[in-house]
């Protein structure tokens, strides 16, 4: 079955499980350039591919500027090695940032666990004191 050569905004929204508003946002950012027939947007395979790349970039945590730069390279670069090298550099930076976030989260989780333990100990101590009648005034 051949893939269609053009797509409506609802076709793309349905395919990628996003809202038409999201597609219009990417259009406003210059990542997509649909043709127009009156008020109707007609998207090409190129637009579909660019949308797919934009959504993948977003999922990987790239900024809109980074996504636009990487997508723009596909339009202008004749050498795919340059594109792949730039993408690899971006992925490496993203990976380092994610690893740092993971370390920060682990440290915070340890701190939260320590505070939880302190609270439990205080509650147990107070419950034991109350059961023993400590702290009661006559």
């Amino acid at each position: 079955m051949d893939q269609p050569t053009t797509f409506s905004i609802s076709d793309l929204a349905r395919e990628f499980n996003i809202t038409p508003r999201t597609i219009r946002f990417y259009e406003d950012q210059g990542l997509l350039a649909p043709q127009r027939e009156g008020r109707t947007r007609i998207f090409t395979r190129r637009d579909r591919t660019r949308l797919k790349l934009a959504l993948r970039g977003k999922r990987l945590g790239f900024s809109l500027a980074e996504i636009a730069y990487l997508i723009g390279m596909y339009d202008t670069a004749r050498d795919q090695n340059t594109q792949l090298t730039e993408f690899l550099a971006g992925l490496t930076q993203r990976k380092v940032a994610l690893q740092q976030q993971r370390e920060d989260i682990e440290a915070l989780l340890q701190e939260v666990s320590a505070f939880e333990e302190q609270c439990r100990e205080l509650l147990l101590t107070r419950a034991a004191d109350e059961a023993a009648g400590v702290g009661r005034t006559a």
Side-chain angles (χ1 to χ4, degrees), residues 98-114:
L98 288 170
Q99 288 170 333
Q100 182 61 55
Q101 284 179 326
R102 182 171 55 193
E103 289 174 19
D104 293 345
I105 289 170
E106 287 297 325
L108 285 172
L109 286 172
Q110 287 177 3
E111 196 171 333
V112 166
S113 293

Side-chain angles (χ1 to χ4, degrees), residues 2-17:
D2 289 333
Q3 185 181 36
T5 57
T6 61
F7 309 87
S8 71
I9 196 167
S10 7
D11 292 337
L12 293 178
R14 196 171 25 258
E15 178 179 352
F16 293 107
N17 196 29

Side-chain angles (χ1 to χ4, degrees), residues 29-31 50 53 62-77 82-83 85-87 89-90 93:
Q29 298 303 308
L31 298 176
R50 290 170 68 91
L53 291 171
F62 288 104
S63 71
L64 264 179
E66 291 168 324
I67 291 168
Y69 173 73
L70 291 170
I71 288 176
M73 287 184 63
Y74 282 92
D75 290 339
T76 58
T82 303
Q83 297 164 354
T85 301
E86 287 288 329
F87 185 57
Q93 288 176 342

Side-chain angles (χ1 to χ4, degrees), residues 6 18 24 32 48 63 77:
T6 61
I18 56 177
R24 287 190 295 273
L32 307 173
R48 182 187 170 278
S63 71

Side-chain angles (χ1 to χ4, degrees), residues 25 34 55 58 63 67 73 96 103 115-116 119 130 132 136:
F25 173 77
L55 294 171
K58 180 183 173 205
S63 71
I67 291 168
M73 287 184 63
V96 167
E103 289 174 19
F115 283 129
E116 284 178 329
C119 289
E130 286 178 12
R136 286 192 190 157

